[in-house]
Amino acid sequence: SSAAATPAERTLVLVKPDGVARGLTGEVLRRVEAKGYRIVALEMRTADDALLAEHYAEHQGKPFFAPLVEFMRSGPVVAAVVEGGRVIEGFRSLAGTTEPTGAAPGTIRGDLGRDWGTSVVQNLVHGSDSPESAAREIGLWFPAL
Ligand code: ABT
Ligand code: MG
């Protein structure tokens, strides 16, 4: 038998402006580390329009694009590159579904997210949704990596 080890994967995690403002950065990173993933890069910064237009390129032209960018640049975010086996799928699982109201308890969004009272979904965290997105987003946020 030749069971090969699962190769490590990398994903981009963002603690969005609502998460940073509410003091949940540590809680998010704690859950990431508790799961066994490794933080390999970490930076706090306020994103500008150019970066966000690239980051959310798939949503350009949609009605929520402008409010989404406005929300994402409303305050600092904490960006992290997180590494581990099947971490892309694994972090999406830790985060929970996009809308916090319906997200499962036990997930970041389900336990901590509040998606009422604002026009754009403020759901605390971002995680890349595929290997292609992860490579693209890591290149965008951490060009030196
Ligand atoms: P992200 O991790 O931010 O990409 O969220 P997720 O992948 O779970 O959801 P997608 B579909 O990628 O949404 C991106 C952001 O746009 C917001 N949004 C999305 C709306 O406000 N209204 C909508 O109708 C849709 C489809 C939710 C996400 N984030 N924020 N903040
Ligand atoms: Mg997405």
mmCIF file of all heavy atoms in Angstrom, residues 57-112:
data_model
loop_
_atom_site.group_PDB
_atom_site.id
_atom_site.type_symbol
_atom_site.label_atom_id
_atom_site.label_comp_id
_atom_site.label_asym_id
_atom_site.label_seq_id
_atom_site.Cartn_x
_atom_site.Cartn_y
_atom_site.Cartn_z
ATOM 1 N N ALA A 57 -13.388 40.673 -8.352
ATOM 2 C CA ALA A 57 -13.582 40.804 -9.806
ATOM 3 C C ALA A 57 -14.831 40.053 -10.277
ATOM 4 O O ALA A 57 -15.554 40.536 -11.153
ATOM 5 C CB ALA A 57 -12.346 40.298 -10.545
ATOM 6 N N GLU A 58 -15.100 38.892 -9.664
ATOM 7 C CA GLU A 58 -16.247 38.080 -10.094
ATOM 8 C C GLU A 58 -17.583 38.785 -9.825
ATOM 9 O O GLU A 58 -18.604 38.404 -10.384
ATOM 10 C CB GLU A 58 -16.234 36.724 -9.382
ATOM 11 C CG GLU A 58 -16.542 36.823 -7.898
ATOM 12 C CD GLU A 58 -16.360 35.509 -7.119
ATOM 13 O OE1 GLU A 58 -17.231 34.638 -7.229
ATOM 14 O OE2 GLU A 58 -15.357 35.387 -6.403
ATOM 15 N N HIS A 59 -17.578 39.784 -8.943
ATOM 16 C CA HIS A 59 -18.832 40.471 -8.586
ATOM 17 C C HIS A 59 -18.977 41.841 -9.238
ATOM 18 O O HIS A 59 -19.956 42.541 -8.998
ATOM 19 C CB HIS A 59 -18.943 40.614 -7.065
ATOM 20 C CG HIS A 59 -19.052 39.299 -6.351
ATOM 21 N ND1 HIS A 59 -19.977 38.337 -6.694
ATOM 22 C CD2 HIS A 59 -18.344 38.769 -5.317
ATOM 23 C CE1 HIS A 59 -19.835 37.278 -5.900
ATOM 24 N NE2 HIS A 59 -18.847 37.509 -5.066
ATOM 25 N N GLN A 60 -17.981 42.250 -10.068
ATOM 26 C CA GLN A 60 -18.093 43.546 -10.744
ATOM 27 C C GLN A 60 -19.336 43.563 -11.609
ATOM 28 O O GLN A 60 -19.643 42.595 -12.295
ATOM 29 C CB GLN A 60 -16.839 43.822 -11.581
ATOM 30 C CG GLN A 60 -15.685 44.343 -10.723
ATOM 31 C CD GLN A 60 -14.523 44.856 -11.556
ATOM 32 O OE1 GLN A 60 -14.703 45.661 -12.452
ATOM 33 N NE2 GLN A 60 -13.328 44.386 -11.235
ATOM 34 N N GLY A 61 -20.072 44.683 -11.531
ATOM 35 C CA GLY A 61 -21.284 44.833 -12.314
ATOM 36 C C GLY A 61 -22.543 44.392 -11.588
ATOM 37 O O GLY A 61 -23.648 44.690 -12.023
ATOM 38 N N LYS A 62 -22.387 43.680 -10.470
ATOM 39 C CA LYS A 62 -23.569 43.258 -9.718
ATOM 40 C C LYS A 62 -24.045 44.413 -8.822
ATOM 41 O O LYS A 62 -23.254 45.280 -8.454
ATOM 42 C CB LYS A 62 -23.243 42.024 -8.871
ATOM 43 C CG LYS A 62 -22.894 40.803 -9.728
ATOM 44 C CD LYS A 62 -22.645 39.558 -8.882
ATOM 45 C CE LYS A 62 -22.173 38.403 -9.762
ATOM 46 N NZ LYS A 62 -21.726 37.248 -8.967
ATOM 47 N N PRO A 63 -25.333 44.432 -8.488
ATOM 48 C CA PRO A 63 -25.884 45.566 -7.737
ATOM 49 C C PRO A 63 -25.230 45.774 -6.370
ATOM 50 O O PRO A 63 -25.188 46.891 -5.876
ATOM 51 C CB PRO A 63 -27.377 45.228 -7.597
ATOM 52 C CG PRO A 63 -27.516 43.795 -7.980
ATOM 53 C CD PRO A 63 -26.372 43.466 -8.883
ATOM 54 N N PHE A 64 -24.720 44.714 -5.764
ATOM 55 C CA PHE A 64 -24.134 44.866 -4.432
ATOM 56 C C PHE A 64 -22.638 45.174 -4.477
ATOM 57 O O PHE A 64 -21.998 45.281 -3.432
ATOM 58 C CB PHE A 64 -24.391 43.621 -3.573
ATOM 59 C CG PHE A 64 -23.833 42.347 -4.162
ATOM 60 C CD1 PHE A 64 -22.525 41.965 -3.912
ATOM 61 C CD2 PHE A 64 -24.626 41.529 -4.967
ATOM 62 C CE1 PHE A 64 -22.003 40.797 -4.451
ATOM 63 C CE2 PHE A 64 -24.114 40.353 -5.514
ATOM 64 C CZ PHE A 64 -22.798 39.996 -5.253
ATOM 65 N N PHE A 65 -22.075 45.324 -5.707
ATOM 66 C CA PHE A 65 -20.619 45.509 -5.805
ATOM 67 C C PHE A 65 -20.143 46.790 -5.105
ATOM 68 O O PHE A 65 -19.206 46.749 -4.291
ATOM 69 C CB PHE A 65 -20.163 45.498 -7.266
ATOM 70 C CG PHE A 65 -18.685 45.660 -7.430
ATOM 71 C CD1 PHE A 65 -17.823 44.605 -7.170
ATOM 72 C CD2 PHE A 65 -18.143 46.883 -7.815
ATOM 73 C CE1 PHE A 65 -16.449 44.758 -7.306
ATOM 74 C CE2 PHE A 65 -16.772 47.034 -7.953
ATOM 75 C CZ PHE A 65 -15.921 45.978 -7.704
ATOM 76 N N ALA A 66 -20.786 47.930 -5.427
ATOM 77 C CA ALA A 66 -20.341 49.208 -4.836
ATOM 78 C C ALA A 66 -20.460 49.216 -3.306
ATOM 79 O O ALA A 66 -19.495 49.551 -2.619
ATOM 80 C CB ALA A 66 -21.092 50.380 -5.458
ATOM 81 N N PRO A 67 -21.610 48.826 -2.751
ATOM 82 C CA PRO A 67 -21.683 48.760 -1.282
ATOM 83 C C PRO A 67 -20.723 47.736 -0.674
ATOM 84 O O PRO A 67 -20.216 47.944 0.440
ATOM 85 C CB PRO A 67 -23.138 48.398 -0.988
ATOM 86 C CG PRO A 67 -23.793 48.115 -2.290
ATOM 87 C CD PRO A 67 -22.939 48.660 -3.374
ATOM 88 N N LEU A 68 -20.456 46.667 -1.407
ATOM 89 C CA LEU A 68 -19.511 45.656 -0.913
ATOM 90 C C LEU A 68 -18.105 46.250 -0.790
ATOM 91 O O LEU A 68 -17.439 46.103 0.246
ATOM 92 C CB LEU A 68 -19.500 44.452 -1.857
ATOM 93 C CG LEU A 68 -18.465 43.349 -1.578
ATOM 94 C CD1 LEU A 68 -18.685 42.724 -0.206
ATOM 95 C CD2 LEU A 68 -18.526 42.271 -2.664
ATOM 96 N N VAL A 69 -17.680 46.970 -1.833
ATOM 97 C CA VAL A 69 -16.348 47.597 -1.798
ATOM 98 C C VAL A 69 -16.303 48.673 -0.715
ATOM 99 O O VAL A 69 -15.315 48.781 0.028
ATOM 100 C CB VAL A 69 -15.992 48.177 -3.194
ATOM 101 C CG1 VAL A 69 -14.779 49.088 -3.105
ATOM 102 C CG2 VAL A 69 -15.737 47.040 -4.178
ATOM 103 N N GLU A 70 -17.384 49.438 -0.599
ATOM 104 C CA GLU A 70 -17.435 50.489 0.426
ATOM 105 C C GLU A 70 -17.293 49.873 1.827
ATOM 106 O O GLU A 70 -16.551 50.381 2.677
ATOM 107 C CB GLU A 70 -18.756 51.238 0.297
ATOM 108 C CG GLU A 70 -18.818 52.501 1.111
ATOM 109 C CD GLU A 70 -20.166 53.215 0.967
ATOM 110 O OE1 GLU A 70 -20.965 52.823 0.081
ATOM 111 O OE2 GLU A 70 -20.403 54.141 1.759
ATOM 112 N N PHE A 71 -17.994 48.774 2.057
ATOM 113 C CA PHE A 71 -17.877 48.070 3.339
ATOM 114 C C PHE A 71 -16.454 47.569 3.559
ATOM 115 O O PHE A 71 -15.866 47.776 4.634
ATOM 116 C CB PHE A 71 -18.870 46.904 3.391
ATOM 117 C CG PHE A 71 -18.549 45.862 4.426
ATOM 118 C CD1 PHE A 71 -18.447 46.197 5.777
ATOM 119 C CD2 PHE A 71 -18.339 44.538 4.057
ATOM 120 C CE1 PHE A 71 -18.132 45.231 6.737
ATOM 121 C CE2 PHE A 71 -18.030 43.570 5.003
ATOM 122 C CZ PHE A 71 -17.922 43.914 6.341
ATOM 123 N N MET A 72 -15.876 46.946 2.535
ATOM 124 C CA MET A 72 -14.565 46.317 2.697
ATOM 125 C C MET A 72 -13.430 47.309 2.910
ATOM 126 O O MET A 72 -12.374 46.953 3.425
ATOM 127 C CB MET A 72 -14.261 45.411 1.507
ATOM 128 C CG MET A 72 -15.097 44.133 1.477
ATOM 129 S SD MET A 72 -14.781 43.020 2.873
ATOM 130 C CE MET A 72 -13.113 42.475 2.485
ATOM 131 N N ARG A 73 -13.658 48.596 2.499
ATOM 132 C CA ARG A 73 -12.608 49.586 2.745
ATOM 133 C C ARG A 73 -12.976 50.514 3.902
ATOM 134 O O ARG A 73 -12.325 51.530 4.119
ATOM 135 C CB ARG A 73 -12.296 50.371 1.471
ATOM 136 C CG ARG A 73 -13.451 51.156 0.939
ATOM 137 C CD ARG A 73 -13.016 52.299 0.021
ATOM 138 N NE ARG A 73 -14.151 53.201 -0.068
ATOM 139 C CZ ARG A 73 -14.720 53.600 -1.205
ATOM 140 N NH1 ARG A 73 -14.214 53.245 -2.355
ATOM 141 N NH2 ARG A 73 -15.773 54.393 -1.172
ATOM 142 N N SER A 74 -13.999 50.165 4.657
ATOM 143 C CA SER A 74 -14.479 51.025 5.746
ATOM 144 C C SER A 74 -13.592 50.972 6.978
ATOM 145 O O SER A 74 -13.770 51.764 7.908
ATOM 146 C CB SER A 74 -15.915 50.635 6.121
ATOM 147 O OG SER A 74 -15.947 49.328 6.691
ATOM 148 N N GLY A 75 -12.654 50.068 7.003
ATOM 149 C CA GLY A 75 -11.753 49.958 8.142
ATOM 150 C C GLY A 75 -10.720 48.903 7.842
ATOM 151 O O GLY A 75 -10.795 48.239 6.807
ATOM 152 N N PRO A 76 -9.756 48.745 8.742
ATOM 153 C CA PRO A 76 -8.714 47.755 8.494
ATOM 154 C C PRO A 76 -9.257 46.332 8.471
ATOM 155 O O PRO A 76 -10.240 46.018 9.134
ATOM 156 C CB PRO A 76 -7.736 47.938 9.663
ATOM 157 C CG PRO A 76 -8.485 48.680 10.697
ATOM 158 C CD PRO A 76 -9.558 49.468 10.002
ATOM 159 N N VAL A 77 -8.591 45.498 7.668
ATOM 160 C CA VAL A 77 -8.856 44.065 7.659
ATOM 161 C C VAL A 77 -7.569 43.371 8.104
ATOM 162 O O VAL A 77 -6.488 43.959 8.043
ATOM 163 C CB VAL A 77 -9.274 43.556 6.261
ATOM 164 C CG1 VAL A 77 -10.483 44.304 5.736
ATOM 165 C CG2 VAL A 77 -8.134 43.647 5.271
ATOM 166 N N VAL A 78 -7.713 42.150 8.562
ATOM 167 C CA VAL A 78 -6.534 41.339 8.858
ATOM 168 C C VAL A 78 -6.488 40.223 7.822
ATOM 169 O O VAL A 78 -7.432 39.441 7.703
ATOM 170 C CB VAL A 78 -6.561 40.786 10.288
ATOM 171 C CG1 VAL A 78 -5.467 39.745 10.494
ATOM 172 C CG2 VAL A 78 -6.391 41.928 11.298
ATOM 173 N N ALA A 79 -5.414 40.228 7.027
ATOM 174 C CA ALA A 79 -5.242 39.244 5.966
ATOM 175 C C ALA A 79 -4.247 38.194 6.427
ATOM 176 O O ALA A 79 -3.216 38.521 7.031
ATOM 177 C CB ALA A 79 -4.739 39.930 4.695
ATOM 178 N N ALA A 80 -4.556 36.935 6.144
ATOM 179 C CA ALA A 80 -3.662 35.843 6.539
ATOM 180 C C ALA A 80 -3.585 34.807 5.430
ATOM 181 O O ALA A 80 -4.576 34.533 4.756
ATOM 182 C CB ALA A 80 -4.155 35.185 7.824
ATOM 183 N N VAL A 81 -2.416 34.251 5.252
ATOM 184 C CA VAL A 81 -2.266 33.053 4.437
ATOM 185 C C VAL A 81 -2.205 31.887 5.412
ATOM 186 O O VAL A 81 -1.398 31.893 6.352
ATOM 187 C CB VAL A 81 -1.007 33.106 3.552
ATOM 188 C CG1 VAL A 81 -0.841 31.808 2.764
ATOM 189 C CG2 VAL A 81 -1.089 34.299 2.601
ATOM 190 N N VAL A 82 -3.110 30.937 5.213
ATOM 191 C CA VAL A 82 -3.253 29.808 6.133
ATOM 192 C C VAL A 82 -2.962 28.523 5.361
ATOM 193 O O VAL A 82 -3.433 28.346 4.238
ATOM 194 C CB VAL A 82 -4.670 29.795 6.737
ATOM 195 C CG1 VAL A 82 -4.863 28.565 7.615
ATOM 196 C CG2 VAL A 82 -4.930 31.075 7.524
ATOM 197 N N GLU A 83 -2.198 27.664 5.985
ATOM 198 C CA GLU A 83 -1.727 26.445 5.322
ATOM 199 C C GLU A 83 -2.173 25.192 6.067
ATOM 200 O O GLU A 83 -2.226 25.189 7.303
ATOM 201 C CB GLU A 83 -0.187 26.484 5.268
ATOM 202 C CG GLU A 83 0.441 25.372 4.455
ATOM 203 C CD GLU A 83 1.956 25.565 4.374
ATOM 204 O OE1 GLU A 83 2.654 25.125 5.302
ATOM 205 O OE2 GLU A 83 2.412 26.167 3.386
ATOM 206 N N GLY A 84 -2.490 24.163 5.306
ATOM 207 C CA GLY A 84 -2.833 22.885 5.920
ATOM 208 C C GLY A 84 -3.470 21.951 4.906
ATOM 209 O O GLY A 84 -3.784 22.356 3.792
ATOM 210 N N GLY A 85 -3.681 20.732 5.301
ATOM 211 C CA GLY A 85 -4.327 19.756 4.434
ATOM 212 C C GLY A 85 -5.784 20.132 4.190
ATOM 213 O O GLY A 85 -6.535 20.362 5.136
ATOM 214 N N ARG A 86 -6.170 20.230 2.926
ATOM 215 C CA ARG A 86 -7.550 20.557 2.513
ATOM 216 C C ARG A 86 -8.067 21.835 3.181
ATOM 217 O O ARG A 86 -9.252 21.960 3.491
ATOM 218 C CB ARG A 86 -8.480 19.384 2.813
ATOM 219 C CG ARG A 86 -8.084 18.108 2.060
ATOM 220 C CD ARG A 86 -9.036 16.947 2.334
ATOM 221 N NE ARG A 86 -10.371 17.205 1.796
ATOM 222 C CZ ARG A 86 -11.438 16.440 2.066
ATOM 223 N NH1 ARG A 86 -11.332 15.390 2.847
ATOM 224 N NH2 ARG A 86 -12.606 16.722 1.536
ATOM 225 N N VAL A 87 -7.135 22.801 3.377
ATOM 226 C CA VAL A 87 -7.501 24.000 4.148
ATOM 227 C C VAL A 87 -8.502 24.896 3.413
ATOM 228 O O VAL A 87 -9.261 25.624 4.055
ATOM 229 C CB VAL A 87 -6.237 24.796 4.562
ATOM 230 C CG1 VAL A 87 -5.542 25.401 3.344
ATOM 231 C CG2 VAL A 87 -6.597 25.872 5.591
ATOM 232 N N ILE A 88 -8.546 24.842 2.080
ATOM 233 C CA ILE A 88 -9.487 25.707 1.352
ATOM 234 C C ILE A 88 -10.918 25.318 1.735
ATOM 235 O O ILE A 88 -11.713 26.148 2.176
ATOM 236 C CB ILE A 88 -9.256 25.618 -0.171
ATOM 237 C CG1 ILE A 88 -7.860 26.167 -0.521
ATOM 238 C CG2 ILE A 88 -10.348 26.362 -0.934
ATOM 239 C CD1 ILE A 88 -7.431 25.895 -1.964
ATOM 240 N N GLU A 89 -11.208 24.030 1.581
ATOM 241 C CA GLU A 89 -12.522 23.517 1.981
ATOM 242 C C GLU A 89 -12.701 23.631 3.499
ATOM 243 O O GLU A 89 -13.778 23.992 3.992
ATOM 244 C CB GLU A 89 -12.637 22.044 1.557
ATOM 245 C CG GLU A 89 -13.920 21.376 1.980
ATOM 246 C CD GLU A 89 -13.915 19.859 1.713
ATOM 247 O OE1 GLU A 89 -12.912 19.347 1.161
ATOM 248 O OE2 GLU A 89 -14.908 19.217 2.066
ATOM 249 N N GLY A 90 -11.657 23.340 4.236
ATOM 250 C CA GLY A 90 -11.736 23.333 5.701
ATOM 251 C C GLY A 90 -12.042 24.696 6.291
ATOM 252 O O GLY A 90 -12.856 24.813 7.215
ATOM 253 N N PHE A 91 -11.418 25.750 5.739
ATOM 254 C CA PHE A 91 -11.727 27.064 6.303
ATOM 255 C C PHE A 91 -13.138 27.506 5.926
ATOM 256 O O PHE A 91 -13.833 28.128 6.738
ATOM 257 C CB PHE A 91 -10.715 28.154 5.912
ATOM 258 C CG PHE A 91 -11.105 29.465 6.536
ATOM 259 C CD1 PHE A 91 -10.839 29.710 7.888
ATOM 260 C CD2 PHE A 91 -11.820 30.414 5.824
ATOM 261 C CE1 PHE A 91 -11.274 30.876 8.500
ATOM 262 C CE2 PHE A 91 -12.260 31.587 6.425
ATOM 263 C CZ PHE A 91 -11.973 31.830 7.761
ATOM 264 N N ARG A 92 -13.585 27.174 4.701
ATOM 265 C CA ARG A 92 -14.968 27.509 4.312
ATOM 266 C C ARG A 92 -15.949 26.829 5.278
ATOM 267 O O ARG A 92 -17.002 27.387 5.609
ATOM 268 C CB ARG A 92 -15.246 27.063 2.881
ATOM 269 C CG ARG A 92 -14.365 27.715 1.826
ATOM 270 C CD ARG A 92 -14.834 29.051 1.361
ATOM 271 N NE ARG A 92 -16.075 29.003 0.610
ATOM 272 C CZ ARG A 92 -16.627 30.083 0.034
ATOM 273 N NH1 ARG A 92 -16.030 31.275 0.136
ATOM 274 N NH2 ARG A 92 -17.750 29.983 -0.615
ATOM 275 N N SER A 93 -15.582 25.623 5.702
ATOM 276 C CA SER A 93 -16.413 24.899 6.655
ATOM 277 C C SER A 93 -16.406 25.573 8.030
ATOM 278 O O SER A 93 -17.451 25.721 8.679
ATOM 279 C CB SER A 93 -15.905 23.454 6.725
ATOM 280 O OG SER A 93 -16.560 22.743 7.721
ATOM 281 N N LEU A 94 -15.231 26.009 8.473
ATOM 282 C CA LEU A 94 -15.154 26.751 9.743
ATOM 283 C C LEU A 94 -15.961 28.051 9.669
ATOM 284 O O LEU A 94 -16.562 28.468 10.659
ATOM 285 C CB LEU A 94 -13.708 27.130 10.068
ATOM 286 C CG LEU A 94 -12.735 26.083 10.591
ATOM 287 C CD1 LEU A 94 -11.408 26.759 10.920
ATOM 288 C CD2 LEU A 94 -13.289 25.385 11.832
ATOM 289 N N ALA A 95 -15.936 28.716 8.500
ATOM 290 C CA ALA A 95 -16.596 30.024 8.347
ATOM 291 C C ALA A 95 -18.114 29.889 8.363
ATOM 292 O O ALA A 95 -18.811 30.734 8.921
ATOM 293 C CB ALA A 95 -16.145 30.698 7.056
ATOM 294 N N GLY A 96 -18.634 28.838 7.729
ATOM 295 C CA GLY A 96 -20.084 28.712 7.606
ATOM 296 C C GLY A 96 -20.590 29.389 6.344
ATOM 297 O O GLY A 96 -19.836 30.046 5.627
ATOM 298 N N THR A 97 -21.865 29.242 6.071
ATOM 299 C CA THR A 97 -22.443 29.777 4.834
ATOM 300 C C THR A 97 -22.427 31.304 4.831
ATOM 301 O O THR A 97 -22.305 31.938 5.883
ATOM 302 C CB THR A 97 -23.882 29.268 4.652
ATOM 303 O OG1 THR A 97 -24.612 29.571 5.839
ATOM 304 C CG2 THR A 97 -23.902 27.767 4.411
ATOM 305 N N THR A 98 -22.582 31.871 3.617
ATOM 306 C CA THR A 98 -22.408 33.318 3.426
ATOM 307 C C THR A 98 -23.259 34.165 4.373
ATOM 308 O O THR A 98 -22.764 35.132 4.966
ATOM 309 C CB THR A 98 -22.744 33.684 1.960
ATOM 310 O OG1 THR A 98 -21.894 32.910 1.098
ATOM 311 C CG2 THR A 98 -22.514 35.158 1.692
ATOM 312 N N GLU A 99 -24.532 33.817 4.520
ATOM 313 C CA GLU A 99 -25.418 34.628 5.366
ATOM 314 C C GLU A 99 -25.424 34.100 6.795
ATOM 315 O O GLU A 99 -25.876 32.985 7.065
ATOM 316 C CB GLU A 99 -26.843 34.616 4.797
ATOM 317 C CG GLU A 99 -26.919 35.337 3.454
ATOM 318 C CD GLU A 99 -28.349 35.574 2.992
ATOM 319 O OE1 GLU A 99 -29.245 35.661 3.843
ATOM 320 O OE2 GLU A 99 -28.555 35.648 1.773
ATOM 321 N N PRO A 100 -24.943 34.903 7.734
ATOM 322 C CA PRO A 100 -24.832 34.466 9.123
ATOM 323 C C PRO A 100 -26.137 33.973 9.740
ATOM 324 O O PRO A 100 -26.117 33.041 10.555
ATOM 325 C CB PRO A 100 -24.318 35.718 9.849
ATOM 326 C CG PRO A 100 -23.493 36.406 8.804
ATOM 327 C CD PRO A 100 -24.258 36.209 7.525
ATOM 328 N N THR A 101 -27.267 34.537 9.344
ATOM 329 C CA THR A 101 -28.527 34.110 9.965
ATOM 330 C C THR A 101 -28.779 32.620 9.775
ATOM 331 O O THR A 101 -29.238 31.936 10.686
ATOM 332 C CB THR A 101 -29.712 34.927 9.403
ATOM 333 O OG1 THR A 101 -29.562 36.283 9.823
ATOM 334 C CG2 THR A 101 -31.048 34.393 9.900
ATOM 335 N N GLY A 102 -28.433 32.105 8.597
ATOM 336 C CA GLY A 102 -28.658 30.693 8.320
ATOM 337 C C GLY A 102 -27.442 29.817 8.535
ATOM 338 O O GLY A 102 -27.524 28.603 8.364
ATOM 339 N N ALA A 103 -26.324 30.414 8.902
ATOM 340 C CA ALA A 103 -25.090 29.634 9.078
ATOM 341 C C ALA A 103 -25.204 28.744 10.314
ATOM 342 O O ALA A 103 -25.786 29.134 11.333
ATOM 343 C CB ALA A 103 -23.885 30.570 9.187
ATOM 344 N N ALA A 104 -24.640 27.552 10.228
ATOM 345 C CA ALA A 104 -24.768 26.589 11.323
ATOM 346 C C ALA A 104 -24.084 27.091 12.590
ATOM 347 O O ALA A 104 -22.987 27.657 12.530
ATOM 348 C CB ALA A 104 -24.154 25.261 10.899
ATOM 349 N N PRO A 105 -24.728 26.902 13.730
ATOM 350 C CA PRO A 105 -24.047 27.134 15.011
ATOM 351 C C PRO A 105 -22.776 26.285 15.048
ATOM 352 O O PRO A 105 -22.748 25.173 14.532
ATOM 353 C CB PRO A 105 -25.062 26.652 16.049
ATOM 354 C CG PRO A 105 -26.393 26.773 15.379
ATOM 355 C CD PRO A 105 -26.131 26.463 13.925
ATOM 356 N N GLY A 106 -21.725 26.832 15.649
ATOM 357 C CA GLY A 106 -20.436 26.153 15.640
ATOM 358 C C GLY A 106 -19.507 26.738 14.599
ATOM 359 O O GLY A 106 -18.303 26.560 14.685
ATOM 360 N N THR A 107 -20.074 27.434 13.610
ATOM 361 C CA THR A 107 -19.237 28.109 12.621
ATOM 362 C C THR A 107 -18.991 29.557 13.055
ATOM 363 O O THR A 107 -19.697 30.095 13.918
ATOM 364 C CB THR A 107 -19.902 28.109 11.231
ATOM 365 O OG1 THR A 107 -21.115 28.880 11.269
ATOM 366 C CG2 THR A 107 -20.227 26.683 10.777
ATOM 367 N N ILE A 108 -17.977 30.175 12.443
ATOM 368 C CA ILE A 108 -17.652 31.565 12.781
ATOM 369 C C ILE A 108 -18.852 32.465 12.504
ATOM 370 O O ILE A 108 -19.272 33.259 13.355
ATOM 371 C CB ILE A 108 -16.412 32.018 11.980
ATOM 372 C CG1 ILE A 108 -15.171 31.251 12.452
ATOM 373 C CG2 ILE A 108 -16.204 33.538 12.108
ATOM 374 C CD1 ILE A 108 -13.969 31.347 11.491
ATOM 375 N N ARG A 109 -19.413 32.335 11.292
ATOM 376 C CA ARG A 109 -20.552 33.194 10.942
ATOM 377 C C ARG A 109 -21.796 32.821 11.735
ATOM 378 O O ARG A 109 -22.575 33.685 12.135
ATOM 379 C CB ARG A 109 -20.810 33.106 9.443
ATOM 380 C CG ARG A 109 -19.705 33.788 8.614
ATOM 381 C CD ARG A 109 -19.741 33.353 7.169
ATOM 382 N NE ARG A 109 -18.823 34.103 6.308
ATOM 383 C CZ ARG A 109 -18.557 33.779 5.054
ATOM 384 N NH1 ARG A 109 -19.122 32.702 4.513
ATOM 385 N NH2 ARG A 109 -17.722 34.514 4.344
ATOM 386 N N GLY A 110 -22.007 31.531 11.967
ATOM 387 C CA GLY A 110 -23.180 31.083 12.713
ATOM 388 C C GLY A 110 -23.128 31.495 14.171
ATOM 389 O O GLY A 110 -24.147 31.865 14.760
ATOM 390 N N ASP A 111 -21.964 31.462 14.763
ATOM 391 C CA ASP A 111 -21.832 31.811 16.182
ATOM 392 C C ASP A 111 -21.746 33.320 16.394
ATOM 393 O O ASP A 111 -22.229 33.833 17.410
ATOM 394 C CB ASP A 111 -20.559 31.189 16.773
ATOM 395 C CG ASP A 111 -20.666 29.686 16.981
ATOM 396 O OD1 ASP A 111 -21.783 29.141 16.885
ATOM 397 O OD2 ASP A 111 -19.613 29.057 17.236
ATOM 398 N N LEU A 112 -21.083 34.015 15.471
ATOM 399 C CA LEU A 112 -20.670 35.402 15.754
ATOM 400 C C LEU A 112 -21.207 36.429 14.777
ATOM 401 O O LEU A 112 -21.143 37.627 15.038
ATOM 402 C CB LEU A 112 -19.134 35.476 15.744
ATOM 403 C CG LEU A 112 -18.408 34.452 16.623
ATOM 404 C CD1 LEU A 112 -16.917 34.430 16.294
ATOM 405 C CD2 LEU A 112 -18.615 34.767 18.105
#
